[in-house]
Amino acid sequence: MFKEIRNKPLRYLIIVIYLVVLFICAIEINFLGLFGYTPPKKDIKFPSLSIASEVYTADGKLIGRYYRENRTPVTFNEISPSIVNALIATEDIRFYKHSGVDFYSIASGIISTVTGDKRGGSTITQQLAKNLYRTRNNKSQGFVKHIPLVRTLISKFKEWLTAYKLESNYSKEDILTMYLNTVPFGNNSYGINTAAKHYFDKSVSNVNVQEAALLVGMLKATSTYNPIKNPERSLERRNVVLSQMNKYDYLDNQSYQKAVKQPIKLKLGKDSKKNEGDSYLRAAVAKWLEKWCEKNGYDLYEDGLRIYTTIDSKLQKYAEEAVSEQMKVLQRRFYNSWGNDIPWRDSEGKVIENFIESNLQKLSWYAGIKKKYQNQPDSLQAYLNKKKKMTVFDWNGDKEVEFSTIDSIEYYAKILNTGMMTLDPFSGKIKVWIGGDNYNYFKYDHVKQAKRQAGSTFKPFAYLAALESGLSPCDKFTDKPVKIEYTLNKKQEVWEPKNADWNFSYREMSLRWAMARSVNSITAQITELVGWDKVVEYAHKCGIESPLQSVPSVSLGSNDVSVFEMVKAYGTFLNEGKRVEPILVEKITDFDGKTIEEFTAKQQRVISEEIAWLMLYMFRGGMEEPGGTSQALWEWDLFKKNNQIGGKTGTSSDYVDGWYMGITKDLVTGVWVGADDRSVHFKNSETGEGSRTALPIFAKFMEKVYKDPSTGITLGPFPKPKIEIKRTYNCPSPRIVIDTTTTDSLTTDSLANPLEIEEVIPVPDETKLEPKEKTDVKSNNTKTPSEKTEDKQETPLTRKEERQLRRQLKKEGKSN
C-alpha cells in the first residue's frame, strides 16, 4: 500500500502518521488488554469525582462527614483570584496558550533536566487527567505495566490523549476549577475548599495572597511542604511561589516584599481531625443508610450526599451536658464505693480470678504474643506489664498516663458507660442519640447495638397485659410471698421472687400503686394471672424486637433489650396506642440540594387508645403514688405550670444496670447506665439503683430543655383522653406515715416493726388540672356511670391532727 507512494520522505511520513493513528486506536480500545483504561468520551463529559457526604441535624447544624477523600467542590467564581494566579505562575505559565500538552515546556524540561535542573513539563491539564482518571494507577494499566520504561511512556501518552480530550470539552476556567477540586493537600484534605477550611478555617474565596501561595506551594510535595509538620520548608516554598507571582506580574514589588516577610499563620478548622465529626450519631446514621445506599446505588463516601437527620441540635446539646455532668458524679461515686477493692465480682461477691485473662483474649494481638512466649510465662508477664505512654479517656478530658496492657484493662473495666435516646413518638423522629461516653475511646453504641437487662422498666408490659385482660388500675393485689411453678426445657422449675427490700408488707395495693412502687411480688402475681406468654406478646407488639424468653421472670426484666427498643415501646403509650417505627433521617439531597428522598415514620395501632391512656395514668403514679420510684425527680425544677411526668426506674440484679424511662407530654426518653463488663457494678442500692444513676440524667436533661423556650418543649399536663374511659382508675392510695416517736433514731428504715398509720391521699380530679378548659362529657374527667370510679376520698389530716393521732397511738401501744 505504501510502496505506491514513490516520494520516500512523504511515504515515511505517512507510515509514521499511520502507525501513530494505529497506536492511538490500540490504546483507546485497550488492544488485547495491553494498555489498560483510557477514559472514553462519556467519562470525559461526566467525570466521576469523589465528594464527601455531609450529615446535618434537623435544624441545619453540621454533625460530620463521610469520605474516602475529604472533598467539597467549589465553582470558579468562589475561588480567590490569588489562588488561580499562584497556580498558573508556579505550575503552568503557558496555560492559556496550549491545548493540553505544551511541547515547548516539555523540550525546556528535558534541556533543564540534562543540565542538572530537574523540572517537569506537565501542564495543569495533564495533571488533571492524572488526578481525575488515575491514569497511573495499577488498575488503569494493562500488561505493559510489567515493562518499566514502556509503562512510563504509555502512561504519559495516555495523559496527553486525555488532556487533549479535556481541552476539547471544557473551557480553561472549567479545567482550573476541576484541577483545584481534585488535588490533595495532605491531612486527608482533597480540593482547595477543604484545604482552605483545614489550614485557615475560612472559605476559599477569602484566602489572601500569602495563604494562596502556601496552598499552591504544597502541590509539589504535600508532606514535605506541610505547614503543620514542616513549617520552615513550607515557608520557604511559599516564598518561592510568591517570587513566581512577582516574576510574571501577578504581584507587584511592594506587595511581594510585604508578603514574603509575613510568618505562616494557621488556624486549623473543623476538618483538621482525621475522622472529622466521628461520633455515635454519625456512625448510627451510616448504619441506618447502609441498605438504602445499596438499594438505590449510592456510595455514602463518594457521592456528595446531604443527609438531614431528625436530631434536634439543642436537645442533643442539653442531653450531652446532662450525661457529662451526671457521669462525672457517678464515676467518682463508683471509685469511692470500691476504694482499693477489686470491683469485678460474681453474683456471690467473690473476685473473678480469670477476669484479666478473659479480657486479654479479646485483644486481636494477644494470641500471637501468647504463642511467641508459649514456654516463657515470665517473659509474657513482663511484656503485659511493661509501661508505655498512652492517652486514656477521662471525664475531665484526655489523660496522659504510663500504663501497661494490664493497667489499661483494669482502668477501662472500671469506667461506667451510658446510652440515651429521646423520641418524639407522634412523628417518629429521634431527637437525641447518645451512644456512650466518648466515641473516640468506646466505639460500641449503647443505644441500639448494646442490649442489657431492663430490670423493672420492663414491668409495665405485665401491667399492660393485665389491662388488656380486663383489669383496671384500681384492681387490688396483696404484697405477699409468691411461688410460681413452671416448666422450662422439660424441666420443672420454681420461681419465688423477692421484693427489692427483701420484705413483704402484706398490704393490699392497686395496680397503679404497685407499679409505681415497683413491687416485685404483685408484678409476679399479675404475670401468673395473665400468663407470661401474654407479657412477651404485648412487649413485642409495642416495639421490643429482641427475642424474649417466656418465663415468669420476664416481667422483672430478665431479658436483654436495647435502649432503642425500650424507647420505641414506651412511645406506643404516649402515641395513643400506635407503635411508631423511629426514623433517624428525614431527608437526603444531592450535592446541589436536589431532594433525592424524604422519609416518614410508619405507624400501626397495636393497643386501644383507652388502654394507652390508662398506661400513661399508671406511669404518672411513679410521681403521684405514695413511695413512687420516680419521686427523686422532685429535686429538680420540673413541676411548674401543672407539669406532669410519667416514668419507670429499673435496676438489674447486683446493680449491674441502671435504667430510667421518662415520659412527658411531648417526648419519651430512655437512659441506661452501667459498666461494659457485667461483672463490674455498684455495691448497693444507695449507689447503684436506676433512680440514683439513670434518673438524674433524665432530670437534668429535661430541666435544661424546659428552661429554653426555643426548643418548643413546654411544661404542662398530659393530654386528656379523646375517648370515653370505661375502666375504674381514680382510686386514692393510702400514704403510710411511720411513727418515729418510739425511737431517738432518725433512720426509721431500721425499725423492725414500725408503727404505721394509713392516711388516704386524694388523687386530684383530672378536671381540675386545666380549669380553663370545658369538661368533655366523653372524657374521664366527668363522672359517668360507665367509669365506676371509686370515690372514697378522705380529707387529709392536718399536721396538728397528725401529731395528736401519733401521740394517741403511742399511748395505746404502751398500754398494750
Side-chain angles (χ1 to χ4, degrees), residues 229 394 411 473 503 597 622 773:
K229 297 177 181 178
D394 186 85
Y411 178 81
N503 293 313
E597 189 162 348
E773 294 186 20

Side-chain angles (χ1 to χ4, degrees), residues 695-761:
L695 179 146
I697 293 176
F698 169 79
K700 291 178 179 181
F701 165 62
M702 290 308 304
E703 188 176 56
K704 293 172 186 287
V705 171
Y706 284 141
K707 287 182 178 179
D708 183 356
S710 67
T711 63
I713 307 299
T714 58
L715 296 156
F718 285 104
K720 294 181 179 181
K722 300 175 182 177
I723 43 84
E724 181 182 8
I725 304 299
K726 298 179 180 180
R727 308 283 180 94
T728 302
Y729 69 87
N730 192 359
C731 41
S733 300
R735 190 171 299 277
I736 308 303
V737 180
I738 300 175
D739 181 12
T740 61
T741 58
T742 58
T743 177
D744 293 330
S745 172
L746 295 176
T747 314
T748 59
D749 289 346
S750 63
L751 292 175
N753 294 298
L755 193 59
E756 297 179 347
I757 306 169
E758 288 195 359
E759 175 189 333
V760 178
I761 306 298

Side-chain angles (χ1 to χ4, degrees), residues 28-29 63 76 83 94 146 178 202 211 239 243 320 329 344 381 456 463 492 498 509 633 647 656 689-690 716 735 741:
E28 282 290 309
I29 66 173
I63 297 171
F76 183 81
I83 292 175
R94 288 170 47 82
H146 301 293
M178 286 194 289
K202 60 172 62 174
E211 294 164 344
N239 290 342
S243 175
E320 289 173 356
V329 173
W344 38 90
Q381 286 302 312
S456 294
Y463 289 86
Q492 199 68 19
K498 303 292 188 294
M509 297 183 185
L633 291 174
V656 172
E689 281 188 346
R735 190 171 299 277
T741 58

Side-chain angles (χ1 to χ4, degrees), residues 654-711:
D654 299 325
Y655 316 104
V656 172
D657 307 287
W659 290 76
Y660 190 72
M661 301 297 302
I663 308 174
T664 69
K665 65 180 178 63
D666 301 300
L667 304 169
V668 175
T669 298
V671 182
W672 167 87
V673 173
D676 280 328
D677 195 299
R678 301 188 194 215
S679 64
V680 179
H681 47 77
F682 283 102
K683 282 185 172 182
N684 50 49
S685 62
E686 285 74 17
T687 54
E689 281 188 346
S691 61
R692 293 175 170 85
T693 58
L695 179 146
I697 293 176
F698 169 79
K700 291 178 179 181
F701 165 62
M702 290 308 304
E703 188 176 56
K704 293 172 186 287
V705 171
Y706 284 141
K707 287 182 178 179
D708 183 356
S710 67
T711 63

Side-chain angles (χ1 to χ4, degrees), residues 288-353:
W288 204 276
L289 292 175
E290 270 183 6
K291 290 183 179 179
W292 182 87
C293 286
E294 184 179 346
K295 178 182 177 181
N296 294 279
Y298 285 98
D299 188 327
L300 182 62
Y301 296 87
E302 292 191 349
D303 288 343
L305 301 174
R306 296 295 176 262
I307 302 149
Y308 295 90
T309 69
T310 58
I311 297 297
D312 186 300
S313 65
K314 291 180 180 177
L315 267 61
Q316 181 75 15
K317 173 177 174 287
Y318 294 142
E320 289 173 356
E321 289 175 357
V323 164
S324 178
E325 291 168 12
Q326 180 62 12
M327 291 302 289
K328 286 179 183 178
V329 173
L330 292 177
Q331 196 64 61
R332 285 196 302 269
R333 184 192 301 172
F334 182 84
Y335 288 147
N336 293 336
S337 173
W338 283 100
N340 295 323
D341 293 338
I342 296 174
W344 38 90
R345 314 218 169 197
D346 59 22
S347 58
E348 296 179 357
K350 296 178 181 178
V351 174
I352 300 172
E353 299 297 338

